[in-house]
């Protein structure tokens, strides 16, 4: 897993995304907006496992969906191999749909209950590679099913006949059917039991080696990030706070939010329950605080934080968006 | 005598011609002010075991054997009226999703006062005073104003605090918490766990924490009971079990955690998945997934044996530790 030295595969540049949830004012002409993503820039390099972490509502899933083209960014650009893709539609987007695949959180909802495993797996291939004949299709299904540790004989069965872990392996297989280069996984193991989480993570790591995949892995579980990720982006209220190599981030977090988040992970080493330094609640994304979005909960917040939005800047081999990062060492 | 003694509890679900046995001879104690964790994956029977203590299992489920002795009463054999006196009064419950627990059309104050009126003769003013005091105890800022809020006006963490405050209004001896932090973010989870720990330590409330998260139990509880397929497979002091688990399932669970593995390395997974109730393997229910299983395991069900600090239900508990050398979670 190489990082900054590699070739950029996906570039997210100053992306903003807001959703209108209603209107107010006389004649209802003032839109009420949820600001889900506020100026996020990320470069993902070939072959890495980039993890996005954050708590619910921080915009990590919206970013994943925007990257996949399931949402249009309000402004900013997304490029794949130096080609801008965020405004592409229909046929023009088609080649990128094959290269970019997605795995969803809930394997109970993401598999069509009325399609057999074979139908589910063959469908993307029939669509993207119509030249294949029935035998090629079947061979490919068997190959992919075996590569994720599934029994190819499951083909004629329906999703309800499988456990959560088996279903998630089927949805991983579906994503791998079209030989993608880039896979977005949105909380792929959150709905699974501990012993099953390990199985699915192993399958994902093996698939990465075998098929030379690049991952964008969305999760709220920091211990999974520590294990799986090569680089990590920490999000809070639609903005990136810290961007670093996994090892750098976990050994020495610098943004006050990252520090609080890491301190909150329950540990099994017999240590006492640590109290987080953060206070209060996450503000709503409809009414963002001015300046640094984290200042309402930050133990270091000063006047400057209430006025000026901090930019991501290079500090000690990682990027941090904090005015007073020098004080957090 | 312990505050709560569960002995050989059996719970089954008669379904037409077949009967599915969800809980199989489960025994454990809970002392005054003690914090006990019940750990297992989905389908292990941990929630059914806890719910059956308060007779909250859904029909056709029923307690088919064993005793649940609380304060000299056998809760498995008392009338509904007697149970209503204990449930929510002496023993309270906290559930996973606070939005499902709270009634969305009533203010939180109304719900707390309602709980007080159900269990004691008390004036409205006194009930309100107690409710506000409990809201303050769970560290809700400006409780007088929050008293008149509806659940949707509170954040997820606040709602769970309200649920905890409601569970506390009657000063219960035991709180049973079923995955109380699973629906919450990590930073909120840390706050809620700290709060629950504080309440137990300072108010002498006994806590039964049901969770799938070993890291959470290791930080909050003193003893744990590990369940698999409706049976207790291991129990003992929390730190002993985390550091030196003897049952292959417990060891497997601990070693499967990303925290216990080298970053980027293949995780130690347990193969297969938990059997369903209609398909429990013969002998030891874990044997098809176990690396140490032999003929004995597939024929004879192991009993829970005392092994010094903890109890283990495995035929090979002693030899496993020898084979692996000094075992533990930190390999």
């Amino acid at each position: 897993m190489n990082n900054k030295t590699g070739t950029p595969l996906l570039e997210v540049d100053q992306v903003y995304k807001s959703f209108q949830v209603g209107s107010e004012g006389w004649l209802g002409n003032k839109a009420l907006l949820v600001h889900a993503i506020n100026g996020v820039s990320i470069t993902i390099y070939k072959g890495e496992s980039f993890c996005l972490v954050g708590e619910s509502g921080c915009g990590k899933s919206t970013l994943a969906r925007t990257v996949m083209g399931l949402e249009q960014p309000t402004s900013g650009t997304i490029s794949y191999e130096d080609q801008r893709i965020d405004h592409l539609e229909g046929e023009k987007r088609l080649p990128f749909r094959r290269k970019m695949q997605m795995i969803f959180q809930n394997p109970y909802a993401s598999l069509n209950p009325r399609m057999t495993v074979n139908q589910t797996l063959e469908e993307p291939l029939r669509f993207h590679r119509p030249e294949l004949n029935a035998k090629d299709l079947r061979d490919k299904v068997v190959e992919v099913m075996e590569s994720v540790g599934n029994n190819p004989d499951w083909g004629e069965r329906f999703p309800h006949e499988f456990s959560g872990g088996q279903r998630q392996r089927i949805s991983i297989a579906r994503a791998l059917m079209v030989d993608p280069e880039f896979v977005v996984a949105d909380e792929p193991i959150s709905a699974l039991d501990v012993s099953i989480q390990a199985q699915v993570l192993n399958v994902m790591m093996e698939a990465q080696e075998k098929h030379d995949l690049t991952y964008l892995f969305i999760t709220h579980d920091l211990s999974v990030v520590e294990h799986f990720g090569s680089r990590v982006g920490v999000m809070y209220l639609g903005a990136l706070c810290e961007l670093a190599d996994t090892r750098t981030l976990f050994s020495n977090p610098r943004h006050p939010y990252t520090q609080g988040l890491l301190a909150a992970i329950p540990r099994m080493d017999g240590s006492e329950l640590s109290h987080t330094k953060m206070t209060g609640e996450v503000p709503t994304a409809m009414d963002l605080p001015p300046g640094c979005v984290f200042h309402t909960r930050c133990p270091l917040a000063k006047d400057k934080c209430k006025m000026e939005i901090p930019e991501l800047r290079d500090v000690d081999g990682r990027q941090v968006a904090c005015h007073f990062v020098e004080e957090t060492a | 005598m312990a505050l709560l003694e569960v002995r050989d509890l059996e719970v089954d679900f008669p379904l037409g011609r077949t009967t599915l046995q969800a809980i199989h001879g489960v025994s454990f104690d809970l002392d005054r002010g003690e914090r006990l964790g019940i750990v297992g994956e989905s389908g292990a029977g941990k929630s059914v075991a806890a719910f059956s203590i308060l007779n909250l299992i859904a029909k056709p489920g029923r307690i088919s054997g064993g005793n649940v002795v609380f304060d000299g009463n056998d809760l498995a054999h008392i009338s509904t009226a007697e149970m209503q006196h204990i449930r929510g009064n002496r023993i309270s419950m906290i559930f996973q999703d606070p939005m499902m627990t709270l009634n969305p059309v009533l203010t939180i104050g109304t719900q707390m006062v309602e709980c007080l009126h159900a269990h004691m003769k008390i004036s409205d003013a006194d009930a309100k005073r107690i409710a506000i005091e409990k809201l303050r105890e769970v560290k809700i800022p400006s409780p007088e104003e929050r008293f008149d809020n509806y659940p949707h006006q509170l954040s997820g963490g606040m709602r769970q605090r309200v649920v905890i405050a409601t569970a506390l209004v009657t000063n219960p001896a035991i709180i049973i918490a079923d995955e109380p932090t699973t629906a919450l973010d990590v930073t909120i989870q840390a706050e809620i766990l700290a709060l629950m720990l504080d309440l137990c330590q300072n108010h002498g409330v006994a806590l039964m924490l049901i969770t799938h998260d070993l890291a959470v139990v290791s930080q909050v509880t003193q003893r744990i009971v590990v369940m698999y397929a409706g049976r207790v497979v291991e129990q003992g002091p929390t730190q002993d079990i985390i550091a030196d688990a003897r049952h292959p399932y417990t060891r497997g669970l601990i070693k499967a955690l990303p925290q216990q593995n080298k970053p980027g390395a293949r995780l130690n997974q347990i193969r297969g998945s938990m059997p369903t109730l209609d398909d429990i393997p013969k002998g030891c229910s874990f044997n098809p997934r176990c690396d140490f299983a032999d003929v004995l395991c597939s024929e004879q069900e192991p009993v829970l044996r005392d092994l010094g600090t903890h109890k283990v239900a495995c035929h090979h508990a002693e030899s496993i530790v020898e084979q692996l050398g000094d075992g533990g979670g930190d390999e």
Side-chain angles (χ1 to χ4, degrees), chain B residues 59-70:
Chain B
K59 293 265 175 289
R62 53 160 197 211
I63 296 176
S64 52
N67 309 96
V68 179
V69 181
F70 170 72

Side-chain angles (χ1 to χ4, degrees), chain B residues 94-317:
Chain B
I94 298 170
F95 299 91
Q96 177 172 345
D97 187 348
M99 201 58 207
M100 303 283 273
T101 314
L102 295 169
N103 186 335
V105 298
L106 297 177
T107 64
I108 60 165
T110 311
Q111 299 181 56
M112 294 180 77
V113 168
E114 185 179 38
C115 177
L116 276 164
H117 280 311
H119 291 292
M120 54 187 83
K121 278 209 152 47
I122 187 171
S123 71
D124 283 349
D126 280 347
K128 181 171 179 177
R129 188 180 48 75
I130 294 175
I132 288 175
E133 188 184 305
K134 295 295 174 190
L135 287 175
R136 191 170 291 125
E137 239 168 62
V138 298
K139 304 194 177 77
I140 287 187
S142 47
E144 291 84 1
E145 288 153 42
R146 290 298 185 185
F147 185 85
D148 293 318
N149 277 175
Y150 287 90
H152 76 266
Q153 293 170 290
L154 306 172
S155 67
M158 279 300 176
R159 279 182 212 139
Q160 197 62 301
R161 281 171 197 270
V162 169
V163 172
I164 295 173
T166 312
L168 286 173
V169 285
T170 53
N171 291 321
I174 301 176
I175 290 183
I176 300 176
D178 188 12
E179 305 266 10
T181 59
T182 307
L184 307 174
D185 281 317
V186 273
T187 55
I188 311 295
Q189 165 171 291
E191 287 173 20
I192 297 286
L193 292 177
L195 172 70
M196 291 177 54
L197 193 58
D198 177 58
L199 292 171
C200 292
Q201 285 169 339
N202 299 331
H203 298 265
V205 188
L207 175 72
M208 190 191 286
L209 180 69
I210 300 152
T211 177
H212 68 282
D213 191 330
L214 280 157
V216 166
V217 277
S218 87
Q219 289 205 310
V220 176
T221 63
Q222 297 158 314
R223 277 195 312 123
I224 53 180
V225 172
V226 183
M227 290 188 66
Y228 185 82
R231 291 152 178 87
V232 173
V233 293
E234 187 155 8
Q235 61 171 293
T238 306
Q239 287 313 322
D240 283 347
I241 288 186
I242 301 283
D244 184 24
R246 298 299 176 89
H247 195 282
Y249 174 66
T250 322
R251 295 179 76 93
L253 263 191
I254 294 171
K255 286 162 129 198
L257 293 173
Q259 285 185 22
Q260 306 289 332
N261 284 271
K262 237 174 72 202
R266 198 184 147 78
L267 293 166
N268 295 300
Q269 65 187 42
I270 307 178
R271 62 173 185 268
S273 52
M274 173 113 41
T276 51
L277 289 179
D278 55 354
D279 192 22
I280 302 282
K282 201 167 158 267
C284 170
S285 51
F286 186 61
N287 88 74
R289 301 177 73 190
C290 182
D291 291 332
F292 304 95
D294 60 14
V295 186
L296 179 65
C297 303
S298 55
E299 281 174 359
Q300 199 184 323
E301 196 182 327
V303 290
L304 202 63
R305 294 180 291 145
D306 218 324
L307 274 173
T309 53
H310 44 283
K311 293 182 184 164
V312 186
C314 173
H315 292 302
H316 304 299

Side-chain angles (χ1 to χ4, degrees), chain A residues 55-56 193 199 202 206 281, chain B residues 42 155 185 187 266-267 270:
Chain A
E55 298 179 279
S56 38
D193 273 318
Q199 290 176 4
N202 281 341
E206 276 160 27
E281 300 281 331
Chain B
S42 33
S155 67
D185 281 317
T187 55
R266 198 184 147 78
L267 293 166
I270 307 178

Side-chain angles (χ1 to χ4, degrees), chain A residues 103-271:
Chain A
I103 302 166
F104 297 89
Q105 172 171 1
N106 186 346
Y108 293 84
S110 65
L111 295 172
N112 186 333
R114 294 165 61 155
M115 282 165 85
T116 65
V117 173
N118 274 345
Q119 288 169 335
T120 299
L121 294 185
E122 283 172 10
E123 189 182 37
L125 213 54
R126 282 183 203 283
F127 183 74
H128 284 288
R129 299 180 60 188
E131 76 279 8
L132 294 182
N133 63 32
K135 185 180 176 304
D136 292 340
L137 281 174
R138 234 175 301 129
D139 290 349
K140 182 74 186 171
V141 169
V142 170
E143 179 203 321
V144 173
M145 282 289 273
E146 279 174 349
S147 81
V148 297
N150 285 350
N151 185 344
D153 298 340
W154 290 354
E156 295 307 316
R157 291 160 67 181
F158 288 90
H160 73 260
E161 298 175 64
F162 298 100
S163 69
Q166 290 169 335
R167 283 185 220 203
Q168 198 58 304
R169 295 208 303 265
I170 293 168
S171 37
I172 294 174
R174 176 178 60 187
L176 296 178
M177 280 305 288
V178 292
D179 296 314
E181 300 167 346
F182 179 71
V183 173
V184 174
D186 189 1
E187 304 263 16
I189 59 167
S190 307
L192 308 174
D193 273 318
V194 184
S195 70
I196 310 299
Q197 288 189 348
Q199 290 176 4
V200 171
L201 273 184
N202 281 341
V203 164
M204 289 185 65
M205 289 191 286
E206 276 160 27
Q208 180 171 38
E209 255 170 58
K210 245 182 268 176
H211 304 277
D212 201 15
L213 297 177
T214 305
Y215 281 122
L216 169 58
F217 194 96
I218 315 286
T219 183
H220 68 279
D221 187 340
L222 286 148
S223 55
V224 171
V225 176
E226 188 173 11
H227 189 80
F228 185 85
S230 52
R231 273 196 314 140
V232 196
V234 181
M235 282 186 79
Y236 182 80
L237 267 185
L240 267 182
C241 316
E242 187 160 359
L243 191 62
D245 278 359
T246 310
R247 212 164 294 168
T248 317
L249 186 98
F250 279 84
S251 60
N252 183 18
R254 291 296 296 274
H255 193 284
Y257 177 65
T258 319
Q259 293 178 338
L261 206 55
L262 292 193
I265 310 180
R267 292 279 173 189
M268 302 215 317
D269 49 15
S271 62

